[in-house]
Amino acid sequence: AGGHHFLVAGFAHDLLYLTRGVPVVYYGDEVGMTGSGDGTDKRARQDMFPTQVQDWQREERIGSAPIGTRSSFAESTPIETRLARLSSLRAQHPALASGAMITRLGSGGVLAVSRIDAASRTEYVVAFNSGDAATTVTVPTSTPGTAWTPLLGGTSASTDPSGSMRLPIGPRSTVVLRADAPLPTPAAPSVTMRTSRDAITGAYRLTATVPGADPSTVTFLVKRPGTDWAPLGSDDARPFRVFVPPGRGTVQVAAVVRDTAGQVAATAPQRLAITPFQ
């Protein structure tokens, strides 16, 4: 059971560190403080210094035995080692920390995403398998016809001329790969936009369509009466969209695409009549 719990904890930290957002590790997580499974984490938040509290001395830990009277600061655990590896990986490859994230595959227990390094125009693929059995998945990418270097887990892989990658991944495992070639230079971009209304919230949905596979970014703009054009928001993954809350009045909206080569295209302004949501 202890090994199973360690695999689960390690997998959760992989998700935390390698997908969009800022990872937060609360004190004690790195040494496997888990509590007694009483539905709260109260018993997982004991002092990390040597303790005289017998209940805390006997508390089960993930990846290691109960601490006894020892100091948690002196412990070295598999979780701590994994966290250090993940932190180092993010530091060496900033795209894993702040690059655009594109969901490529979500099927069964497998999630695969791309992370994009805009500066070097390099694509990374991160895949997670939460299942108990190894599997092989086909992952679409934006970088065709190249080899990929493994950075965490797994083996080397390659993409075919369409950008598809056959990726084996072990049970409860994470694989990180980096393309050996930069993203191909895209053709001149184009963008179209449509508007619709969400039936549940009443918000107006602006959706942009950009042909091709380049991991572009779309910024949506709004111009209200008597004001200049202002950004509504940006989206760096298909389907490109933002939402305008219900209100009253008529505005103009537009979408601007910028591809990874720095090329820009825009839609013509569209009038959007906004009404209160009933």
Side-chain angles (χ1 to χ4, degrees):
H4 173 79
H5 290 160
F6 168 66
L7 287 173
V8 172
F11 189 76
H13 285 126
D14 290 352
L15 284 164
L16 184 69
Y17 271 75
L18 298 173
T19 55
R20 188 196 305 271
V22 179
V24 176
V25 178
Y26 197 64
Y27 88 88
D29 289 353
E30 74 279 13
V31 293
M33 290 184 184
T34 183
S36 300
D38 60 356
T40 73
D41 67 350
K42 180 178 180 181
R43 294 192 177 185
R45 300 308 169 201
Q46 62 264 35
D47 201 322
M48 292 184 64
F49 293 101
T51 179
Q52 300 302 312
V53 180
Q54 292 186 3
D55 285 348
W56 288 350
Q57 293 174 10
R58 296 191 295 265
E59 277 294 319
E60 179 184 356
R61 297 198 171 197
I62 297 175
S64 63
I67 192 67
T69 58
R70 302 187 307 279
S71 168
S72 295
F73 291 107
E75 294 295 296
S76 178
T77 71
I79 295 177
E80 182 182 33
T81 300
R82 185 67 169 188
L83 290 175
R85 178 74 182 93
L86 293 170
S87 294
S88 175
L89 196 63
R90 283 169 58 96
Q92 294 171 24
H93 305 278
L96 299 176
S98 58
M101 188 176 93
I102 303 169
T103 301
R104 297 298 193 183
L105 174 70
S107 177
V110 177
L111 170 66
V113 303
S114 288
R115 305 300 303 269
I116 306 298
D117 187 321
S120 65
R121 303 186 65 253
T122 301
E123 181 175 6
Y124 295 73
V125 164
V126 184
F128 309 91
N129 177 16
S130 65
D132 293 324
T135 188
T136 299
V137 294
T138 300
V139 180
T141 77
S142 295
T143 314
T146 189
W148 294 65
T149 298
L151 304 177
L152 182 70
T155 59
S156 58
S158 62
T159 44
D160 66 18
S162 71
S164 291
M165 173 194 296
R166 290 280 290 171
L167 181 62
I169 180 170
R172 297 193 182 275
S173 295
T174 301
V175 174
V176 180
L177 303 107
R178 180 186 59 196
D180 289 356
L183 291 159
T185 302
S190 63
V191 57
T192 58
M193 183 181 65
R194 61 184 176 86
T195 63
S196 59
R197 193 166 197 183
D198 184 77
I200 297 176
T201 65
Y204 293 85
R205 183 188 298 109
L206 310 184
T207 304
T209 300
V210 178
D214 184 76
S216 306
T217 298
V218 174
T219 299
F220 296 86
L221 305 171
V222 62
K223 188 178 188 305
R224 297 180 169 85
T227 68
D228 293 330
W229 285 96
L232 275 170
S234 296
D235 198 347
D236 52 24
R238 293 169 172 83
F240 303 109
R241 61 185 181 180
V242 297
F243 292 85
V244 181
R248 190 181 303 276
T250 299
V251 301
Q252 295 185 75
V253 291
V256 178
V257 60
R258 183 182 182 89
D259 66 21
T260 57
Q263 302 175 106
V264 175
T267 65
Q270 297 182 27
R271 292 173 64 85
L272 178 63
I274 298 175
T275 60
F277 185 53
Q278 303 296 327

